[in-house]
Amino acid sequence: MTVTSGKRRVGRRGFMTAVGVAGAASALPGPSSAAEKSSPPPRAPRGAPGPSIGQIDAETKVPASLPMAGTLSAGADFMVDVLKSLKLPYIFANPGSSFRGLQESVINYGNNRDPEFLTCMHEESSVAMAHGYAKAAGVPAAVFVHGTVGTQHASMALYNAWCDRVPVIAVLGNTVNAATRRPNIDWVHSAQDPAAIIRDFTKWDDQPASLQHFAESMVRAYKLTMTSPMGPVAIVADADLQEMGLHDRGPLTIPKYTPNVPPQGDSGAVREVARLLVAAERPVIVADRLARTPAGLTRLVELAELLNVPIVDQGNRPNFPNMHYLSQSAQARQLINKADVILGLELANFWGMVNEYIDNAEHTTSSKVTKGVKLISIGVQDLFIRSNYQDFERFNAVDLSIAGDGEATLPALIEAVKSELSAGRQSVVAARGDAFRKSHAAAFEKARVDATYAWDASPISTARLAMELWQQIKTEDWVMVSPTSVPWTRRLWNFDRHYRLVGNSGGEGIGYGLPASVGAAVAHKPYGRLCVNIQKDGDFMYANGALWTAAHHRIPLLSVMYNNRAYHQETMHLQRMAARWDRGIDRTHIGTTITDPFIDYAKIAQGMGVWAEGPITDPNALAPALRRAIQVVKSGLPALVDVVTQPR
Ligand SMILES: Cc1ncc(C[n+]2csc(CCOP(=O)(O)OP(=O)(O)O)c2C)c(N)n1
């Protein structure tokens, strides 16, 4: 079947809708890594050339699918056409009557595709799925959220997306008119200002009072969520507007979406950065939320190789291939200590990079850097900031601060470095390559040897878990869709391509890992990639309904439980407190461990229709179980292997 939306026909193409959104994709540079080119996607890829102006105009005219005068349609049908004009691929949502009109229009009028409604079991999961999806796909998805209660549930996950600078479009159901609210539930689920509780950590929100207003605000919301610094937005979909009859489409129009070109650093200042980097003897680049697209990684590699400058990668974005000899995160401390120039690219916590903080009663701090070091920042963090939530980290004075998008500024910086590099400097720069090759090889070898310690231990060592998994996936086209909670992966796996890494939650709000992995796996499904989620047990128990979503929608995803039977991070905090007051640590398991009874994660997964094995305590049983699970995942389904592990 097809639905007709304006002049554009959208064909049924199985479960997944296009990952690439023409309008949004035109904001992104074309796929630039060999990796992206070598595995052509079955559908419109990220970074595909955007539509021509003519195409955009054709697609943003009032859809012909809206009824002509005299035919009855719903206001929500027009809203769905607005979502379609933005090519929103999915709606992650738990149902709620405050958006019943919209949901009905999505599934019937919109034929449940582009966007497709994916059933979630908690609003926090809906948002985390959209968060993971957006990072993996490069374009946002929408979440529908049920009134006051759904918004409260969604709020922590929106905070994670805010801190992580990730686009998410939240559509909040509400009935603003007291005279039309259904008695009882409609009242308790409605608000005068529904977005108030999430306003501090969304870029923008609006409560449109008409369908035309809805169209304009939704397009504005899309534009803002995708403008660097990216972040979640919220639009209230008033129930009266959703449920009103529409006899005549009249003058309703949907504005066209034109992506903002991201702000680039000032050219004079960029030349100064190039001059400092070229002249430096011991420069270091720290990359944080830098790579928004595959081009981010390619450009950083080019810059690093031009200067033979070591890269310290914070692991929040796929900035740099970890097996490249200039990937020097393992030497971060020594490099920062000795550096004469430090360039932070979209570095959220510059202070933490150049200062030592000791978590003792005195809160001891000391500088890590050499006197006279030049600190440079390129990033968008100062372009958008809010007062209340403190995710902007401690203030750090720098010598040169450029408010511009890091990835967008890299081409100019690369050109400036090329023109600054005299033959003499080129040979100095070339000479430092060998030392980095050696230190990279030494760090790898050390990690390899360290990983063998307690190889046969039970509970299973986290190194063994990581390496048994690597053994099975390294010949596949794999993606780490979860946060990289086991550091061995970034030490010993080969993150050679942009899409291998999806990154962390941003706000460290637990309950993110599983749903975000499911969302990212949705984005990778059309590429046939093997998506791997190393799943912490504490995180799992916040939002495990996400597994059902994976089972129901046939989302292939391998979840390997990192089951240390504890909220171990918190165990360590309690130990620190107990040690500080010299009270012994023998009671610090109270309130921080997940024992008595042990949780049977395989049973939970099976109960939701997911293939599962475990708990596995014998390290030799791990490889065969992973092999079986991978076969299930390759058949297009989710699978879970519960592995009982060492705490860290
Ligand atoms: C919503 C939320 N609640 C509580 C915390 C505090 N917290 C930080 S780490 C952690 C433990 C998480 O346990 P798990 O996911 O199993 O990871 P582990 O520390 O055991 O490796 C908790 C509860 C948090 N960050 N977010």
Side-chain angles (χ1 to χ4, degrees):
M1 278 188 75
T2 57
V3 275
T4 308
S5 179
K7 292 180 181 167
R8 181 179 150 85
R9 290 179 72 76
V10 184
R12 182 66 178 157
R13 293 166 298 183
F15 163 71
M16 301 292 297
T17 55
V19 168
V21 173
S26 63
L28 310 173
S32 44
S33 70
E36 291 287 326
K37 286 175 190 156
S38 68
S39 46
R43 312 265 293 280
R46 272 178 291 164
S52 67
I53 297 291
Q55 272 173 309
I56 292 175
D57 282 340
E59 290 176 9
T60 53
K61 276 188 187 145
V62 173
S65 49
L66 275 178
M68 301 307 293
T71 319
L72 186 64
S73 176
D77 295 353
F78 176 74
M79 292 178 169
V80 167
D81 277 316
V82 175
L83 303 183
K84 282 183 181 293
S85 81
L86 294 164
K87 300 183 179 59
L88 280 166
Y90 297 107
I91 290 152
F92 294 96
N94 184 249
S97 60
S98 60
F99 59 78
R100 64 185 185 179
L102 251 179
Q103 185 171 351
E104 192 276 334
S105 285
V106 166
I107 60 174
N108 285 327
Y109 171 75
N111 213 16
N112 200 25
R113 50 181 180 267
D114 305 324
E116 178 176 358
F117 194 98
L118 300 188
T119 316
C120 304
M121 310 214 108
H122 194 297
E123 290 81 359
E124 194 172 287
S125 299
S126 312
V127 177
M129 285 185 206
H131 182 168
Y133 175 85
K135 278 197 284 184
V139 291
V143 295
F144 286 177
V145 177
H146 176 52
T148 50
V149 283
T151 307
Q152 289 175 69
H153 264 183
S155 61
M156 187 206 78
L158 285 166
Y159 183 63
N160 275 340
W162 164 262
C163 296
D164 202 20
R165 303 282 184 217
V166 170
V168 172
I169 297 176
V171 179
L172 317 179
N174 189 50
T175 308
V176 73
N177 185 352
T180 59
R181 278 178 209 150
R182 287 171 290 122
N184 305 326
I185 304 298
D186 239 16
W187 278 80
V188 292
H189 289 174
S190 288
Q192 180 198 58
D193 180 8
I197 68 160
I198 53 172
R199 186 158 295 134
D200 269 335
F201 41 87
T202 41
K203 276 188 85 177
W204 187 68
D205 68 84
D206 196 15
Q207 180 160 225
S210 68
L211 288 175
Q212 184 59 38
H213 186 171
F214 179 88
E216 292 172 22
S217 287
M218 186 54 81
V219 177
R220 189 194 301 273
Y222 194 101
K223 189 168 180 172
L224 291 173
T225 200
M226 286 298 283
T227 297
S228 198
M230 296 180 181
V233 290
I235 294 294
V236 180
D238 181 61
D240 287 340
L241 291 183
Q242 297 175 47
E243 297 181 22
M244 70 186 271
L246 204 55
H247 282 281
D248 182 358
R249 71 189 195 195
L252 289 175
T253 57
I254 303 173
K256 77 175 179 188
Y257 163 62
T258 307
N260 270 321
V261 175
Q264 193 180 313
D266 170 81
S267 57
V270 167
R271 271 200 302 280
E272 178 63 6
V273 178
R275 205 186 56 70
L276 288 166
L277 282 174
V278 169
E281 294 306 325
R282 294 170 307 281
V284 178
I285 293 178
V286 184
D288 192 358
R289 291 196 176 85
L290 173 70
R292 291 180 285 98
T293 76
L297 179 145
T298 319
R299 290 173 189 171
L300 188 57
V301 169
E302 188 179 353
L303 178 65
E305 289 178 353
L306 265 179
L307 288 164
N308 257 333
V309 58
I311 304 294
V312 173
D313 189 352
Q314 302 291 79
N316 286 318
R317 290 288 187 277
N319 295 317
F320 203 73
N322 66 326
M323 287 299 146
H324 190 289
Y325 71 98
L326 290 169
S327 172
Q328 294 282 332
S329 306
Q331 275 72 247
R333 168 177 282 277
Q334 301 90 307
L335 290 166
I336 294 293
N337 281 164
K338 291 192 195 136
D340 53 357
V341 170
I342 299 172
L343 168 61
L345 293 174
E346 299 292 355
L347 178 53
N349 185 6
F350 212 123
W351 189 91
M353 182 49 61
V354 295
N355 287 283
E356 183 76 54
Y357 172 85
I358 301 176
D359 189 4
N360 57 17
E362 291 77 36
H363 306 285
T364 310
T365 61
S366 57
S367 172
K368 277 194 225 164
V369 293
T370 312
K371 211 162 180 277
V373 62
K374 288 268 178 265
L375 304 182
I376 308 165
S377 167
I378 302 179
V380 287
Q381 57 269 35
D382 290 344
L383 292 180
F384 199 80
I385 193 168
R386 288 272 168 76
S387 307
N388 191 21
Y389 290 84
Q390 302 287 302
D391 60 299
F392 36 75
E393 300 288 341
R394 189 160 181 181
F395 186 79
N396 195 71
V398 297
D399 299 287
L400 180 51
S401 188
I402 300 182
D405 181 82
E407 180 177 309
T409 304
L410 278 178
L413 181 57
I414 289 166
E415 287 316 306
V417 165
K418 281 181 186 164
S419 58
E420 276 294 322
L421 263 178
S422 62
R425 282 315 287 169
Q426 267 176 24
S427 56
V428 172
V429 160
R432 56 187 181 221
D434 267 357
F436 290 125
R437 281 191 182 83
K438 280 191 194 122
S439 58
H440 186 275
F444 180 78
E445 186 53 23
K446 177 174 182 328
R448 219 177 57 81
V449 172
D450 289 352
T452 63
Y453 298 147
W455 190 251
D456 292 319
S458 177
I460 295 169
S461 79
T462 54
R464 179 133 187 204
L465 175 129
M467 298 322 290
E468 292 283 7
L469 186 51
W470 175 239
Q471 197 58 26
Q472 309 274 335
I473 65 167
K474 66 183 183 189
T475 51
E476 309 283 345
D477 190 15
W478 60 275
V479 185
M480 163 78 95
V481 285
S482 59
T484 48
S485 50
V486 175
W488 297 106
T489 55
R490 295 199 53 239
R491 291 178 196 143
L492 291 168
W493 293 16
N494 183 4
F495 287 83
D496 56 345
R497 296 178 182 187
H498 169 267
Y499 56 78
R500 300 275 191 235
L501 181 93
V502 176
N504 302 314
S505 66
E508 295 299 330
I510 309 288
Y512 163 88
L514 180 62
S517 298
V518 172
V522 167
H524 285 292
K525 180 174 171 173
Y527 299 81
R529 294 177 183 141
L530 177 62
C531 291
V532 178
N533 160 33
I534 298 186
Q535 179 59 52
K536 291 185 166 194
D537 53 337
D539 179 276
F540 180 93
M541 291 306 291
Y542 283 74
N544 53 45
L547 268 189
W548 181 87
T549 300
H552 178 68
H553 290 290
R554 313 282 187 272
I555 300 163
L557 170 66
L558 173 63
S559 294
V560 180
M561 293 300 302
Y562 168 3
N563 177 9
N564 58 14
R565 292 177 167 162
Y567 299 109
H568 188 69
Q569 188 67 32
E570 300 306 320
T571 313
M572 295 190 295
H573 277 301
L574 277 200
Q575 288 175 346
R576 187 178 292 275
M577 289 298 103
R580 183 175 294 175
W581 307 118
D582 203 15
R583 296 203 253 251
I585 58 166
D586 51 316
R587 290 161 61 80
T588 55
H589 61 280
I590 298 174
T592 65
T593 46
I594 312 176
T595 56
D596 190 19
F598 293 143
I599 296 173
D600 190 334
Y601 297 100
K603 270 207 180 117
I604 293 177
Q606 287 157 359
M608 291 196 231
V610 173
W611 183 99
E613 273 192 25
I616 292 174
T617 49
D618 173 2
N620 295 318
L622 185 50
L626 290 174
R627 244 191 308 277
R628 289 188 287 274
I630 287 170
Q631 285 318 308
V632 174
V633 176
K634 284 177 145 183
S635 78
L637 298 170
L640 178 141
V641 178
D642 179 12
V643 187
V644 181
T645 67
Q646 297 288 332
R648 280 286 178 269

